[in-house]
Amino acid sequence: MDSIEIARRSYAAYAQDDREALEALVAPDFTFSSGPDPLLDREGYFERCWPSHGALVAFNLVRLVEIGDDEILVTYEAER
């Protein structure tokens, strides 16, 4: 599975309240960044971001760009 597909499936798992599926997709060395959450590691992501997953029910993935071998830039619109 390529990185873009992993990103797509990750956002779908988040929206579908499927932590088990999301945990299976993200690598042990996973990092996540957004404006309020720069450079979270895997554990930090689940601690900080997962608790609010219920507030978002759908994502429209506007842009997915692979940057090098290990980074994906995602721009999305979320439905609350």
Side-chain angles (χ1 to χ4, degrees):
M1 185 178 340
D2 69 15
S3 297
I4 296 288
E5 184 60 23
I6 291 170
R8 287 183 191 283
R9 290 183 185 195
S10 295
Y11 279 88
Y14 189 90
Q16 295 167 359
D17 190 25
D18 192 345
R19 182 171 173 155
E20 186 175 315
L22 186 54
E23 287 184 2
L25 289 166
V26 296
D29 62 347
F30 171 81
T31 58
F32 175 84
S33 291
S34 69
D37 301 309
L39 294 174
L40 296 176
D41 63 8
R42 188 178 197 275
E43 182 180 336
Y45 171 80
F46 282 106
E47 286 176 9
R48 181 141 168 96
C49 300
W50 183 256
S52 64
H53 75 278
L56 303 174
V57 296
F59 291 95
N60 174 27
L61 301 177
V62 176
R63 177 176 55 176
L64 291 107
V65 179
E66 192 167 9
I67 302 170
D69 293 332
D70 62 351
E71 186 175 352
I72 302 292
L73 170 68
V74 179
T75 304
Y76 63 84
E77 297 169 340
E79 181 181 328
R80 294 185 180 270

